[in-house]
Amino acid sequence: MAKPEYETHEHDVIVIGAGGAGLRAAIEAAAQGVSVGLICKSLLGKAHTVMAEGGIAAAMGNVWPEDNWQVHFRDTMRGGKMLNNWRMAQLHAQEAPDRVLELERFGALFDRTKDGLISQRDFGGHRYARLAHVGDRTGLEMIRTLQYHAIHQGIDVYMECKVERLLKDGDRVAGAFGYWRNTGQFVMFKAKAVVLATGGIGKAWKITSNSWEYTGDGHATALWAGADLIDMEFVQFHPTGMVWPPSVRGILVTESVRGDGGTLKNNQGERFMFNYIPEFFKGETADNIEEAERWYADKKNNRRTPDLLPRDEVARAINSEVKAGRGSPHGGVFLDICTRRPADYIRKRLPSMYHQFKELANVDITREPMEVGPTCHYVMGGVRVDADSTQATVAGLFAAGEVAGGMHGSNRLGGNSLSDLLVFGRRAGLHAALYAKNLGGTVTIDRAEVESVARAALEPFSRSGGENPYAIQAELQETMHTLVGIIRTEAEMRQALAKIETLKERARKVRVEGGRVYNPGWHIALDLQSLLTVAECTTLAALERKESRGGHTRDDHPYTDDTWGKVNVVLRLRDGRVQVSREPLPEMPAELRALFQERK
Amino acid sequence: MPPATLKVFRGQAAQGDFREYRVDVDEGMVVLDVIHRIQATQAPDLACRWNCKAGKCGSCSAEVNGKPRLMCMTRMDIFEPGETISVAPIRTFPLIRDLVTDVSYNYVKAREVPPLRLRPPDADGKYRMMQEDVDRPQEFHKCIECFLCQDVCHVIRDHEEHKPAFAGPRFFIKIAGLDMHPLDTLNRTEFVRRQAGIGLCNITKCCTEVCPEHIHITDNGIIPMKERMADDFDPIVWLLRKFRGGRPEPA
Amino acid sequence: MARVMTPPRPPIAAAHLRNDAWWALPVTVVIVLGSFIVYSTWAALQNAHYFAPPYLSPFYSPCLSSRCLHMTFGYGLPDVQLPIIGVLSPAFLILWGPGLFRLTCYYYRKAYYRSFWLAPPACAVRDVKRRYTGETRVPLLLQNFHRYTWYVAVIFIVLLTWDAILALRFPAPGGGTQLGIGVGTLVMWANVILLAGYTFSCHSCRHVCGGHVDVFSRARTRYRAWHVLSRLNERHPVFAWLSLFSVGVTDLYIRLVSMGVIRDLRIL
């Protein structure tokens, strides 16, 4: 075969992924005066951040002056069942308000309080109304604001470009190699530092709120480049996704519906969440309807409604109701806001939910309840990073946003994602730029490695026989859904591992029709590698953790176990195989530990 | 539901034509689902853009039966049974392949819009805005950049020569959103007239008709910008400004 | 036949791919608007039958001729007839005002650019003419002076309201006037209300009265005005058509009464 051709671009820092974290990182790196390249798989501004609906969690205290970073920190840690990297949770809670205000200075227009400050709304697991929001399209506001700020900062944007591999110069990162989706031509980026901001892995499951992009590229390429992954067993199933019609199954129904007064009911009309309040949250959750109703107006003297328990709890509860035969006609439960809030209020606060149901499901949410059920939404696990600098265990590699692990522990609170993107996106951009500045000189690339990646990428075109990549992707999604879903057992996961092994084998023989220009069949064939890798990682980690905690529920180990509360499951690639190990969590300092003893 | 017949544009660069596919359709499916089914079963290399599948990202723009729409929000049950449904790429932009076009025109135009110029904060360092101050520009912030308005706008759809001097509806509302931003201090009327070519718009409102976010592009964005431009030539306004203090300086 | 586009556009020759009745709207507009123009021109040329005491046709208001002086003024006030009136119908001295207001109206522009100019005939249907310069050159550049025609239109609302008030004063049997209401009175009031609806739902009005403000919370009155006018503005097209019909109907009604074809019914 002839030597594959590729073009080369050189930057101090490249950022892979242009969602909230990637854009914020690129802006910060550019502000440090280094040359920045921003690579995205889709068009600029289409990243998954636009799907975030509820808001940005930040303890600004605009609505409840009692709120502060300590409360936010405590909520985050408790939501993550104490498995979070405490330092990340601390930085996150401390810096989020500044990041939100900064967004406002970039031009974002949040909904306002009566005093003209940024309004904040209630969300699951947050003690106070804390989410800065714009109706139910906060993510869109965030990405548009960052996007339009970024385009004036001298950043080079490479759109519809997919990174296949990270490149290394000895032990440190030296760039990335990929292809243009438009033309199918290869492209190489030389860089001193690489920021991963590629999002999650949700496309490995069948019912998911995630788009085609969420194939775990960042997780997989980091692993292949030698970086550690942690907490990969923790996958968040958002409790409320659409369930009907089948073609929209999994599309997200924002938690704001519950934050703004919606309640969950089973087919008997019962508010079943009152039956699922776990011991851990008893102290802060109302155990009767009267108190829950009072809480909306008076948060100081009443406990929170169980409809707003953290997502893992609600998802499991819905799952149990449906299994017990108390579900809605299409296998979900009812989410009712129409009998609880006036139609105008619903349309004003939840305009895109209103349209989504009206146009896709013929349901008018101001008159009828919605049918909802759990949908794969977010992976808590990811690249293991240093909390302050976001640097991975490979020099020059940084990660922020969903692709980074540790911040959310075993379960993420709603609203903490957008703030995570901003806080750690900025830190990643800053530290990548500083790293690149300190490094000096140039990096060198192993051309032979690049060429072998390119050759492998082109192989599916020349195979005869072989399989349709769509079929393999669909089987993987089915496998993960039935065998590594919300409720897991050892036997099923062993089955899943075996299945993934055969799928890997079949993926090696996949065949692609047509040419290289914008060929989705080929793109899926290439994405299969990372998708299979992350599926394997999640399954391995889930097998290892023999307890139930947050986004990881084992039917064969149904209880939370304190000894497991002190370790992360770490994955790393050694000699071509994924190794699993348990490593202790960083120790929380005494003054922060005290926050959890004050009120039990 | 009975199977549907779709006529999908297939082609690359300067060549291409419609090809017919017969596809099974299930209840509640949208055009994008059908396209995906064609990919999975009949034409794995059929190119189309998509992301969220919920009308929030604006990636799957196409022309269905000649009308610019988001494929993910176009339900199959709006068509007559037995009707052949045509699916074409958005025609205003250069073809890459099949349903995918090169929309870089829009990214070039985006960069030309003068960004926000912030006023100083209040005495305590905070920025205050009332809900009524942000309501109006918030409507424009709903834009998902599907570029359907850019596609349908006849100024560039039918007159390629205007592309260099015309920003298009999407950027008129971007400019309007900045001009009406309560913290902004820049006057963009000169820009909207000279560089953005708002005079080429004859307010025939197709942009508003196709907007999947139901933004009143013409009534709330373009016409108010035309009126702001007219302010610069209105002696009465000029007198009033002398009297109560002027608008910000031009870019 | 397909026009030559720059090569890289999708090679689709058809001027459009719509399979619905997209032509129905422009055809309707041509018929309705065309009929109105024909009728109003004819009515303006008549220079007769525009006054049926106490009703004055809106085409001929304000009254510029002694022939339409209301009895309130005893028919005998000094003759204000301008020398030109004898030659030219007074309607031509009047109609340019409301006419220009409608001609430059943002809504009518949409309607006639689509239906008469065919630029574009309908959405995603190709422009018929090759050359297009929009509103960048004279005379179409002057469309931007819509605001001045609005100032004039407001004056006409005042005048027509005055006419409608006079339409409440009928000749008394023993001379002088008496209060009354006829069908014509109702027609004239309906007309002036619809015209006011059209005039105050105008985009320029909305801008001048409050839309020009950037920070509404610092200009409460103008904000409230803008808010109300915005509501009205959403119905601008409806007012545009209804008031067009009402003006025509009002003129026709008065004309027929004046010609003796129909008799005005007194209600009060």
Side-chain angles (χ1 to χ4, degrees), chain C residues 205-251:
Chain C
C205 165
R206 180 186 180 216
H207 174 81
V208 169
C209 296
H212 59 279
V213 176
D214 282 340
V215 186
F216 279 138
S217 58
R218 293 198 205 132
R220 293 278 168 192
T221 320
R222 281 180 283 167
Y223 170 63
R224 270 190 288 273
W226 176 83
H227 196 73
V228 171
L229 293 173
S230 296
R231 283 283 152 80
L232 218 52
N233 180 255
E234 288 165 21
R235 290 168 190 83
H236 196 48
V238 178
F239 281 121
W241 287 115
L242 289 181
S243 64
L244 190 78
F245 296 138
S246 75
V247 165
V249 166
T250 309
D251 177 81

Side-chain angles (χ1 to χ4, degrees), chain A residues 95-110:
Chain A
E95 294 179 1
D98 280 346
R99 296 288 82 75
V100 172
L101 293 172
E102 181 178 77
L103 214 53
E104 181 166 86
R105 289 196 296 275
F106 291 169
L109 290 169
F110 294 101

Side-chain angles (χ1 to χ4, degrees), chain B residues 58-118:
Chain B
S59 299
C60 61
S61 305
E63 298 187 7
V64 182
N65 277 348
K67 279 192 196 162
R69 332 183 56 131
L70 292 179
M71 288 193 283
C72 71
M73 297 304 273
T74 307
R75 289 168 61 106
M76 288 300 287
D77 56 14
I78 64 168
F79 302 107
E80 297 291 325
E83 181 182 354
T84 300
I85 303 155
S86 73
V87 184
I90 48 176
R91 291 168 66 174
T92 300
F93 303 111
L95 179 66
I96 291 173
R97 209 166 83 86
D98 303 342
L99 301 177
V100 178
T101 53
D102 174 3
V103 292
S104 51
Y105 164 84
N106 300 292
Y107 290 93
V108 173
K109 294 294 169 186
R111 225 182 256 247
E112 290 170 5
V113 177
L116 183 81
R117 188 188 286 168
L118 204 60

Side-chain angles (χ1 to χ4, degrees), chain A residues 198-514:
Chain A
T198 51
I201 65 172
K203 207 58 197 168
W205 280 262
K206 188 174 154 199
I207 297 174
T208 175
S209 67
N210 293 175
S211 83
W212 68 270
E213 289 195 287
Y214 265 39
T215 51
D217 304 337
H219 292 80
T221 47
L223 184 82
W224 298 331
D228 292 357
L229 303 184
I230 59 168
D231 293 344
M232 288 301 286
E233 65 275 32
F234 299 113
V235 177
Q236 180 171 79
F237 284 78
H238 195 290
T240 60
M242 291 176 81
V243 296
W244 185 261
S247 64
V248 299
R249 186 156 198 157
I251 291 178
L252 191 65
V253 178
T254 174
E255 194 164 327
S256 325
V257 176
R258 283 171 286 139
D260 289 348
T263 53
L264 292 163
K265 290 177 182 167
N266 60 22
N267 63 13
Q268 335 256 291
E270 183 194 7
R271 286 179 62 175
F272 59 83
M273 281 310 299
F274 288 98
N275 310 331
Y276 292 93
I277 303 168
E279 200 55 46
F280 192 71
F281 291 110
K282 278 231 160 87
E284 56 203 66
T285 310
D287 53 10
N288 61 84
I289 292 184
E290 293 69 34
E291 184 177 356
E293 289 301 295
R294 286 197 303 271
W295 169 84
Y296 289 103
D298 177 5
K299 293 189 172 44
K300 266 185 259 173
N301 301 310
N302 296 290
R303 293 170 298 171
R304 185 166 54 220
T305 172
D307 290 294
L308 286 172
L309 278 168
R311 288 175 175 173
D312 52 332
E313 308 291 351
V314 183
R316 273 193 298 271
I318 294 175
N319 199 53
S320 307
E321 285 296 300
V322 175
K323 275 202 172 149
R326 291 189 293 271
S328 67
H330 300 110
V333 293
F334 294 106
L335 174 56
D336 167 35
I337 190 163
C338 63
T339 64
R340 303 177 45 83
R341 295 286 181 266
D344 275 352
Y345 175 88
I346 298 170
R347 275 192 292 263
K348 167 88 188 150
R349 299 276 293 187
L350 304 161
S352 63
M353 284 303 105
Y354 175 74
H355 278 119
Q356 185 173 311
F357 273 90
K358 187 116 197 154
E359 289 175 35
L360 293 176
N362 271 341
V363 169
D364 180 349
I365 65 167
T366 65
R367 291 159 178 273
E368 310 162 65
M370 298 159 243
E371 271 188 76
V372 295
T375 176
C376 181
H377 186 55
Y378 189 90
V379 61
M380 272 64 75
V383 178
R384 183 190 217 177
V385 291
D386 169 68
D388 288 82
S389 70
T390 79
Q391 185 156 213
T393 48
V394 170
L397 183 64
F398 300 79
E402 192 172 348
V403 69
M407 159 69 210
H408 303 289
S410 68
N411 174 54
R412 174 175 70 80
L413 293 186
N416 271 359
S417 175
L418 291 187
S419 40
D420 170 18
L421 304 185
L422 292 172
V423 168
F424 293 104
R426 178 188 151 273
R427 284 187 164 268
L430 175 66
H431 289 281
L434 295 178
Y435 170 90
K437 277 189 194 171
N438 284 337
L439 197 61
T442 53
V443 287
T444 52
I445 302 273
D446 179 358
R447 302 185 78 87
E449 187 197 345
V450 167
E451 280 158 17
S452 86
V453 174
R455 265 191 218 102
L458 291 177
E459 264 176 32
F461 286 109
S462 51
R463 288 189 191 120
S464 55
E467 236 184 309
N468 180 343
Y470 291 91
I472 298 175
Q473 190 199 38
E475 267 185 60
L476 175 66
Q477 290 164 342
E478 187 70 48
T479 304
M480 293 304 282
H481 206 83
T482 49
L483 303 177
V484 199
I486 303 181
I487 313 289
R488 301 159 176 177
T489 65
E490 169 143 6
E492 285 183 343
M493 287 190 286
R494 295 252 173 248
Q495 234 178 302
L497 273 185
K499 181 77 189 175
I500 290 168
E501 238 9 85
T502 63
L503 288 173
K504 273 184 176 169
E505 195 51 45
R506 281 162 61 187
R508 275 192 276 274
K509 293 188 211 126
V510 79
R511 181 175 53 93
V512 171
E513 289 171 26

Side-chain angles (χ1 to χ4, degrees), chain B residues 200-217:
Chain B
L200 283 166
C201 166
N202 67 349
I203 50 174
T204 36
K205 278 188 108 160
C206 286
C207 48
T208 308
E209 266 179 46
V210 300
C211 178
E213 284 293 304
H214 310 293
I215 300 170
H216 297 89
I217 300 176

Side-chain angles (χ1 to χ4, degrees), chain C residues 1 40 54 60 79 109-110 113 131 150 171 197 212 217 228 242:
Chain C
M1 187 37 221
S40 57
Y60 289 82
D79 192 346
R109 272 144 79 182
K110 173 207 162 183
Y113 282 139
R131 223 176 92 83
W150 177 73
H212 59 279
S217 58
V228 171
L242 289 181

